[in-house]
Amino acid sequence: MPDEGADRPQTGRDRLLGSLRRPTRGQAIAGVLVGLLGFAAVTQVRVAGQDDDYDGLREAELVQALNGLQAASRRAERDISALEETRDRLNNSSERRSAAIEQARTEIATLGVLAGTTAATGPGVRITVQDPRGTLDLNHLLDGIEELRNAGVEAIEINDQVRVIAQTSFEDDQAGIRVDGVVLGAPYVIDAIGSPDTLAGALSFSDGFVDDVEDDGGTVEVEKVDQVEVSVTRRPTAPRYAEPVPGQ
């Protein structure tokens, strides 16, 4: 039996129902956009409602709220000022600490050279003492070391074996001389760091070190050097009796 509605023309209601049952791609996209637009409208209304919290307040309540905001602003300004002062104190403290550390490092390096615990390099002189007859008077050698010290020498080593400092000991020995327990023989090569002209002049004045060695039958050669290497070091020893003064 034929369907009576097969040839019946579609009404607007039929077309609407058909579109809802089988929406096209364009209709689906349009529906999503309409939904998003509705969501955005609702959200904007809610936010606007939150921004209007003061709309219903009386004048006295508005004044009270304004005073509260001003008090909070003043507290925030005080907090910012305190934090800036703390920052400035920390910066100044850090700068002072860095300067103190740098000064301490410089002093340690200087004391290390003077105490013989670190190697040193710089301009100076190389002194070669020949003693062919083995008759060099130890006191004359000591006088030469003392003259170098008086001339401002900063580092001394002998024969690349012994570092000479304030506590260095010198003794006579059949094979030559004994310096801090180390036996050294001629030629004695003394490397000294300081002003080359000043050190050389201190050894060469009349009746000084050079003349004394020559009187003993030896010879002295003083060479000014732009770069003297003093590589021998000593291990630091703790003082037995001296103690540092607190606070110095």
Side-chain angles (χ1 to χ4, degrees), residues 39-57:
F39 175 77
V42 173
T43 301
Q44 183 174 5
V45 170
R46 290 180 178 177
V47 172
Q50 292 176 355
D51 293 338
D52 294 337
D53 287 343
Y54 295 107
D55 286 349
L57 297 181

Side-chain angles (χ1 to χ4, degrees), residues 29-81:
I29 294 174
V32 171
L33 292 176
V34 170
L36 291 175
L37 181 61
F39 175 77
V42 173
T43 301
Q44 183 174 5
V45 170
R46 290 180 178 177
V47 172
Q50 292 176 355
D51 293 338
D52 294 337
D53 287 343
Y54 295 107
D55 286 349
L57 297 181
R58 296 190 301 274
E59 182 179 353
E61 293 173 335
L62 289 173
V63 170
Q64 183 177 1
L66 179 60
N67 291 337
L69 292 174
Q70 290 176 341
S73 176
R74 288 192 294 271
R75 287 195 299 271
E77 291 176 354
R78 287 195 297 270
D79 291 341
I80 291 173
S81 178

Side-chain angles (χ1 to χ4, degrees), residues 86-168:
T86 301
R87 178 203 61 194
D88 294 340
R89 286 197 303 271
L90 290 175
N91 287 338
N92 293 336
S93 176
S94 176
E95 291 174 0
R96 287 195 298 269
R97 183 171 180 271
S98 297
I101 291 175
E102 185 63 28
Q103 181 179 358
R105 288 174 177 168
T106 301
E107 292 179 356
I108 290 172
T110 300
L111 293 175
V113 171
L114 298 178
T117 58
T118 60
T121 183
V125 294
R126 174 163 297 148
I127 308 155
T128 304
V129 180
Q130 300 284 356
D131 183 23
R133 297 187 301 188
T135 57
L136 177 63
D137 189 335
L138 177 60
N139 290 327
H140 290 164
L141 184 60
L142 288 174
D143 289 342
I145 297 296
E146 191 61 31
E147 288 169 1
L148 290 173
R149 287 172 173 167
N150 293 336
V153 72
E154 296 175 356
I156 304 175
E157 72 177 13
I158 303 177
N159 287 14
D160 294 328
Q161 292 180 264
V162 181
R163 183 73 168 266
V164 178
I165 61 172
Q167 295 81 15
T168 298

